[in-house]
Amino acid sequence: IGTISSPFILHPSGFVQTIPLKRGWNWISLNLENADMSRENLLQTLINPNIENDLLIKDKEGRSSEYNSNRERWSGRLRDLETDEGYMIYLENQADTLRVVGTPVTPTPIKVVSGWNWIGYQPQGVKTINEALASLSPSNQDIIKGQNEFAEYFSTTRNWIGNMKFMQPGKGYKLELTNAGTLAFPARKKPSHY
């Protein structure tokens, strides 16, 4: 699993998902599950007394949580994270790397609504947008956005067109749809045996 440029690191408690974060806002998602999906457990690698980064994480529903490095504690209503949702996380002082330990998620269907959805990317590998969103029945001019790129659906060509070509682990996405539906990411193909 993984590549030379994006390895999957084995940890005694499972795999490690590594997500580089810049100072400021980052759009993220998780594709590993842990028995403890609390913010305190999953975001613990960002709590470093030497860096003293204040953190803010929020979801589409408007729930948020903040870590105050001076008080050394969390506050807020967003207590547990899910693999099917995208999140925005803010680092106040400097860039850091989020490392989450867990087992790979088997992609599960995600209900999407008409309007904006913040979706997590559950597959373990990179997929083209057309491949990743194949289970949807998009309408003309539906939009998917990553933090720095986007694509728009054109019904005449039945393709997502824009500077966003791929979806990848660790990234969070915003998906605007005309019609509600269910997003089912393709399952990972099992290797053939000889």
Side-chain angles (χ1 to χ4, degrees):
I1 298 174
T3 64
I4 291 174
S5 62
S6 180
F8 232 77
I9 301 167
L10 187 59
H11 187 276
S13 300
F15 292 96
V16 177
Q17 182 179 13
T18 303
I19 305 173
L21 303 174
K22 64 180 185 172
R23 181 176 176 241
W25 286 107
N26 300 269
W27 296 13
I28 68 161
S29 68
L30 305 173
N31 68 357
L32 296 179
E33 286 183 305
N34 189 296
D36 180 359
M37 295 294 284
S38 69
R39 64 190 178 200
E40 290 85 356
N41 182 52
L42 296 177
L43 303 178
Q44 68 182 323
T45 60
L46 299 177
I47 308 304
N48 184 337
N50 298 326
I51 295 175
E52 294 186 359
N53 248 342
D54 286 347
L55 310 173
L56 176 66
I57 186 166
K58 64 181 183 174
D59 68 7
K60 180 185 181 287
E61 309 306 321
R63 294 177 301 173
S64 64
S65 283
E66 180 179 358
Y67 180 81
N68 183 301
S69 60
N70 290 330
R71 294 185 190 147
E72 297 182 355
R73 68 180 179 93
W74 283 97
S75 62
R77 292 182 17 225
L78 182 57
R79 298 183 191 284
D80 295 304
L81 305 181
E82 304 290 334
T83 61
D84 60 351
E85 292 190 35
Y87 298 95
M88 291 179 65
I89 188 165
Y90 182 83
L91 301 181
E92 183 156 20
N93 296 327
Q94 69 182 56
D96 204 343
T97 301
L98 175 61
R99 291 177 181 82
V100 177
V101 177
T103 56
V105 171
T106 300
T108 56
I110 300 171
K111 296 285 184 196
V112 289
V113 299
S114 175
W116 285 103
N117 300 271
W118 291 15
I119 59 171
Y121 183 73
Q122 297 174 327
Q124 301 303 310
V126 175
K127 298 195 182 301
T128 66
I129 295 174
N130 287 331
E131 184 182 16
L133 303 181
S135 64
L136 295 176
S137 298
S139 296
N140 199 46
Q141 297 183 325
D142 282 352
I143 296 173
I144 184 159
K145 291 182 178 183
Q147 186 165 355
N148 300 308
E149 52 196 4
F150 81 99
E152 185 174 341
Y153 186 78
F154 287 90
S155 56
T156 53
T157 61
R158 291 191 240 177
N159 279 309
W160 294 88
I161 298 173
N163 65 345
M164 184 174 158
K165 307 291 184 205
F166 301 95
M167 294 181 75
Q168 55 188 315
K171 306 281 184 181
Y173 297 95
K174 295 182 181 182
L175 178 64
E176 183 182 35
L177 297 173
T178 303
N179 302 309
T182 301
L183 172 59
F185 289 115
R188 182 170 173 250
K189 293 176 184 167
K190 293 183 180 176
S192 59
H193 298 280
Y194 298 104

